[in-house]
Amino acid sequence: MSVRSCPLPPRDGVHASCVVLPHEAWPSLLAYLEQRFAHVAGSWQQRLAAGELWDDAGQPLAAEAPYRPGQRLWYFRSVEGETPVPFDIDILYRDQRLLVVDKPHFLACVPGGRHLHETVLTRLRRDPALADASPIHRLDRETAGVMLFCLDPAARGAYQRLFEARAVYKCYEAIAPYRAGLALPRQHRSRLQELPGGFVMQEVAGEPNSDTLIELMQRRGDWAQYRLMPGSGKKHQLRAHLAALGIAIANDPWYPDFRNDKAADDFSHPLALLARRIAFTDPIDGCERLFDSRRTLAWPDEAAECV
C-alpha cells in the first residue's frame, strides 16, 4: 500500500498501517478485528472508542461500526516496552534521489515485530524532508554500516534492480576467531536454507545458492579481521558462512548457537560485522558511486565499543 494513498499524516515518523476487510460475513467490525488481529498491541475496543481507527476518507470509525467487506481501515501500530537504542545514525551522503546512512548496531532497518520507533526508517522519517525515504536494501539489525535509501519514489525501482542484478559491489568486515589451516582467500559456496522454526540459516546439501569471497586482513592472537565480499544476498549469509567454517563472528547471538531473540541486547558487545563499502554505477545519471562506513569494529579483548 502506497503511503501516498494514506489519508492520515505520519505520527513521529510512523506511517499508518492498513487493513482491508475480506469479503466475509461478520456480526461486527469489532468481532472481526478481535479474532483476526488479536496479536496487535492494544485493545481494538479501546481503539474504536478513542477514535483511533479510521476509514479511507480519514474519518474515525464509531465503536459500533458495522463490518463492510472490502473496506480499508487505517490505524497506527504500537509496541509496548520498546528499548531505546543509544546510538545515532550518521548521514554519509544526500542528494535529491539518494540518502546514504552509516547505520549503528542494534537498530532495525524498518519497523517490524517488536521494533517500531527504534528503526532507521522511523528515525529518518521524523524529518518532514525525509518523509518519502524508503530502503533500497537492508542490513541485519545487529549489523552496522553503509545503507542506501531512496528519496524519490519514482527512482526506487531502478536502484533496487541493481541489487537484484548483483550489479552492486558490497564489502564487509568482520572479527572472528583465527583458524589455523583455513586456506584464505577462499570463495565459499554453499546451499543455505532457513532452519525449520528457528529463524536462523543452515548449510544443507544441494546446489549452492550463496557465495562469499573471504580474505584475511590481519590477525591478533586468537582473533582475526576478515574482509567479506558476498556475491549473493541470502539472509544471514555472512554469519552463516563463517559459522559453518568454524569461525563464527564475535558476539553473534544466533550463530553458531541460537539465542532467543527476545533476550535483552547487550549494547557493550555488538556483533563484530560491518558493511564497510558499497559501490555501483548510478542507473539514473551514470555516475560512479562509492560510499564507505566511518565506523570501526572493536576487537573482543578491547573495552571500547564499536563507534
Side-chain angles (χ1 to χ4, degrees):
M1 187 69 61
S2 170
V3 298
R4 291 180 176 275
S5 66
C6 178
L8 307 171
R11 287 184 177 179
D12 195 27
V14 177
H15 288 268
S17 298
C18 182
V19 173
V20 180
L21 301 182
H23 290 272
E24 300 172 355
W26 286 84
S28 67
L29 175 62
L30 179 60
Y32 169 79
L33 294 171
E34 288 186 331
Q35 180 167 328
R36 290 294 180 87
F37 298 96
H39 63 282
V40 174
S43 165
W44 286 108
Q45 187 172 14
Q46 291 174 353
R47 286 173 185 259
L48 284 166
E52 290 289 308
L53 192 64
W54 296 267
D55 63 19
D56 217 20
Q59 297 300 310
L61 293 163
E64 63 279 5
Y67 181 89
R68 293 191 174 93
Q71 184 178 23
R72 293 199 303 179
L73 309 179
W74 298 88
Y75 70 98
F76 286 94
R77 286 186 62 227
S78 61
V79 174
E80 297 180 357
E82 189 172 6
T83 303
V85 176
F87 306 114
D88 295 327
I89 302 168
D90 294 329
I91 304 298
L92 299 175
Y93 176 82
R94 178 179 174 181
D95 62 23
Q96 292 182 335
R97 296 186 303 273
L98 274 179
L99 176 68
V100 185
V101 307
D102 211 352
K103 182 182 105 59
H105 292 96
F106 300 105
L107 198 63
C109 293
V110 299
R114 59 192 179 96
H115 306 289
L116 177 61
H117 294 284
E118 294 302 309
T119 68
V120 179
L121 185 61
T122 300
R123 286 191 183 184
L124 292 176
R125 284 180 169 176
R126 286 173 183 157
D127 181 347
L130 302 180
D132 285 330
S134 59
I136 297 173
H137 67 116
R138 299 187 186 186
L139 298 174
D140 291 345
R141 186 177 70 90
E142 297 84 5
T143 304
V146 182
M147 185 177 174
L148 308 183
F149 286 80
C150 188
L151 300 179
D152 179 2
R156 185 186 181 203
Y159 290 108
Q160 287 183 316
R161 285 190 288 274
L162 287 178
F163 284 86
E164 295 169 358
R166 300 187 181 183
V168 177
Y169 171 79
K170 295 176 288 184
C171 178
Y172 292 72
E173 293 175 9
I175 294 176
Y178 174 76
R179 178 183 156 191
L182 180 63
L184 297 174
R186 67 185 294 136
Q187 192 80 40
H188 186 75
R189 296 183 175 89
S190 69
R191 184 166 191 81
L192 291 176
Q193 72 177 29
E194 190 169 298
L195 187 67
F199 183 66
V200 296
M201 304 293 284
Q202 64 177 352
E203 291 191 340
V204 298
E207 184 69 21
N209 61 2
S210 62
D211 64 276
T212 303
L213 176 61
I214 305 171
E215 298 177 350
L216 177 65
M217 298 176 65
Q218 61 173 312
R219 176 188 176 187
R220 292 189 188 179
D222 294 332
W223 296 93
Q225 183 178 20
Y226 299 91
R227 181 180 293 112
L228 312 172
M229 289 159 283
S232 53
K234 292 296 181 181
K235 171 184 169 183
H236 294 178
Q237 177 176 315
L238 304 180
R239 301 162 71 171
H241 277 178
L242 267 62
L245 291 170
I247 51 172
I249 299 172
N251 302 325
D252 195 327
W254 296 341
Y255 297 88
D257 300 314
F258 177 72
R259 184 198 74 185
N260 191 329
D261 185 35
K262 293 184 179 180
D265 290 318
D266 183 352
F267 293 133
S268 67
H269 290 83
L271 175 71
L273 180 61
L274 177 69
R276 169 62 66 193
R277 171 174 289 184
I278 281 183
F280 57 92
T281 301
D282 194 296
I284 307 298
D285 59 21
C287 292
E288 296 301 318
R289 307 286 189 185
L290 187 153
F291 305 105
D292 282 317
S293 172
R294 298 172 185 155
R295 301 180 186 273
T296 59
L297 293 174
W299 292 75
D301 56 353
E302 294 177 348
E305 296 180 7
C306 189
V307 295

